[in-house]
Amino acid sequence: MDVISVIRTKRDRGELTPEQIDWVIDAYTRGDVADEQMSALAMAILLNGMNRTEIARWTAAMIASGERMSFEALSRPTTDKHSTGGVGDKITLPLAPLVAACGAAVPQLSGRGLGHTGGTLDKLESIPGWRAHLTGEEMRHVLDTTGAVICAAGDGLAPADKKLYALRDVTGTVEAIPLIASSIMSKKIAEGTGALVLDVKVGSGAFMKTIEDARELASTMVALGTDSGVRTVALLTDMSTPLGLTAGNALEVRESVEVLAGGGPQDVVDLTLALAREMLDAAGLKDADPEKALADGSAMDVWRRMISAQGGDPDATLPTAREQHVVTAPSSGVLTRLDAYDVGVAAWRLGAGRARKEDPVQAGAGVELHAKPGDTVTEGQPLMTLHTDTPEKFDYALTALPGAYDIAPAGTSFAPLPVVRERIA
Ligand code: URA
């Protein structure tokens, strides 16, 4: 087998054989295929695609590059959620303890933010003392004793994907549906969850900008999960505007705690409950009542135990940024658009996100929204507050915002998109 013939097959729109796929993933993981050769193959896949048979084999080869976890010894059924990433997407934080409070076990292996989308681990690390890196034994212990664990994936899980994802990130090949589907599903199948709910974001702040692309990604991932024995469902959810009223690490933790306390923005509550119902249903816990668990404080109790079990202090004051800048409404009327991507870029530039994997993030940085699409605004009222420890970043962040919103004359009718747009099973 040689790598040039594999690249040529895909360059010329051919179908990769199972042997070619197994070989190239294994050789790349071992370092026998060079980054520039894998980049050429990734670009050929982005341009020419892979069929379902190729994607299934590619996913299996990435799973086989590392270890597989198993939670079969647990007394509760396992169920997990994966979001394809968005702006203000803090849903994992209230969702994992909520689903655990309803009787399931939630093993959440999460990632860090890259680019304009935030990462769950970065958010939780704004809680003083909280640790993302756990040994396998510690992870099992937290899961066993609290019902939920959110931590970093160990190096042994799908190492082929770790290497390939870093390469795709710097070669303009992230947005290939076969590569996104196999990347996400290899990690989730290797993680060993019994059931999985995929939150496939669609809109300006998501990888998938159109509903058609989101459908294709969702149905590819649902087929991969189902064929591997994982009960898998996908919800296509709106990411044309940020979720909730905050984008930024500590800001999003604060909002998540508000949801666990029975308050919080309605879109965050609605999506948390919709995903919780799907996760519980897929785990066979059809009679569970997540709305009650949110209202009666039992989800909050699990949150507090889960944060403490990983060294965090659930009562600690969250960090705040040193400087604020308020953006005001330039006119009066109805806010008809508030763009997720632009707000995400502003939050990222303020220090909430990173440009390279090894960059630090600011815990307090981000954007706080004071109005959402559909709200009536008055000229001069605050539209959003920008937070950062490095005020020299305000100007750069502000250049992302002039085209970020539209204000229409008062009385203009406005029909918001539903948070959950479609379900694919
Ligand atoms: N998230 C992943 O884990 N992989 C991708 O390719 C894209 C998003």
Side-chain angles (χ1 to χ4, degrees), residues 82 84 161 165 168 174 179-180 183-184 187 207:
H82 181 85
T84 56
D161 177 63
Y165 189 75
R168 287 165 55 212
V174 168
L179 295 179
I180 297 177
S183 165
I184 292 173
K187 287 174 287 203
F207 281 128

Side-chain angles (χ1 to χ4, degrees), residues 72-97:
E72 271 165 18
L74 285 178
S75 53
R76 300 161 166 228
T78 48
T79 184
D80 195 5
K81 183 254 345 182
H82 181 85
S83 157
T84 56
V87 178
D89 184 5
K90 71 271 305 167
I91 301 293
T92 294
L93 276 58
L95 181 64

Side-chain angles (χ1 to χ4, degrees), residues 30-335:
R30 284 188 288 104
D32 291 348
V33 163
D35 276 348
E36 56 271 26
Q37 294 171 316
M38 198 56 164
S39 312
L41 181 58
M43 186 58 82
I45 291 170
L46 181 133
L47 296 172
N48 296 329
M50 285 202 285
N51 64 29
R52 290 278 169 104
T53 311
E54 290 172 291
I55 299 172
R57 191 71 181 208
W58 188 277
T59 306
M62 295 220 290
I63 294 168
S65 72
E67 67 198 27
R68 284 187 82 151
M69 302 177 74
S70 167
F71 295 109
E72 271 165 18
L74 285 178
S75 53
R76 300 161 166 228
T78 48
T79 184
D80 195 5
K81 183 254 345 182
H82 181 85
S83 157
T84 56
V87 178
D89 184 5
K90 71 271 305 167
I91 301 293
T92 294
L93 276 58
L95 181 64
L98 172 60
V99 171
C102 294
V106 186
Q108 260 278 337
L109 298 181
S110 294
R112 295 183 188 282
L114 202 59
H116 73 282
T117 62
T120 298
L121 301 181
D122 294 327
K123 295 172 201 193
L124 285 167
E125 276 176 347
S126 64
I127 301 174
W130 188 86
R131 278 192 306 125
H133 293 275
L134 303 182
T135 63
E137 205 172 308
E138 286 174 324
M139 180 189 174
R140 257 168 240 279
H141 179 72
V142 178
L143 188 59
D144 227 359
T145 52
T146 75
V149 61
I150 304 175
C151 63
D155 288 341
L157 205 83
D161 177 63
K162 270 207 178 70
K163 211 171 158 190
L164 182 55
Y165 189 75
L167 184 74
R168 287 165 55 212
D169 196 44
V170 293
T171 56
T173 52
V174 168
E175 293 89 346
I177 288 178
L179 295 179
I180 297 177
S182 54
S183 165
I184 292 173
M185 294 308 292
S186 62
K187 287 174 287 203
K188 288 291 155 185
I189 295 167
E191 171 196 285
T193 184
L196 176 65
V197 177
L198 297 160
D199 181 1
V200 178
K201 301 282 182 207
V202 55
S204 73
F207 281 128
M208 298 296 117
K209 310 289 182 206
T210 66
I211 194 87
E212 292 77 19
D213 281 349
R215 263 185 214 131
E216 188 185 335
L217 176 62
S219 61
T220 306
M221 292 197 290
V222 168
L224 286 171
T226 307
D227 291 349
S228 301
V230 181
R231 286 178 302 283
T232 311
V233 175
L235 297 184
L236 308 192
T237 71
D238 180 49
M239 190 31 70
S240 60
T241 202
L243 258 174
L245 293 170
T246 56
N249 301 308
L251 290 169
E252 292 191 46
V253 173
R254 191 192 71 201
E255 191 167 273
S256 303
V257 173
E258 283 166 17
V259 171
L260 287 161
Q266 201 55 48
D267 57 346
V268 179
V269 175
D270 289 349
L271 184 54
T272 303
L273 286 172
L275 289 165
R277 285 189 198 103
E278 292 288 353
M279 286 171 75
L280 291 162
D281 215 39
L285 298 168
K286 294 188 193 309
D287 296 332
D289 185 352
E291 214 158 336
K292 177 168 171 289
L294 212 47
D296 69 12
S298 48
M300 177 68 102
D301 291 343
V302 177
W303 161 263
R304 294 176 61 81
R305 287 203 298 274
M306 182 184 84
I307 295 301
S308 304
Q310 287 175 240
D313 176 359
D315 296 315
T317 306
L318 291 167
T320 49
R322 280 195 290 276
E323 305 278 342
Q324 278 79 33
H325 176 94
V326 178
V327 177
T328 54
S331 58
S332 297
V334 180
L335 185 68

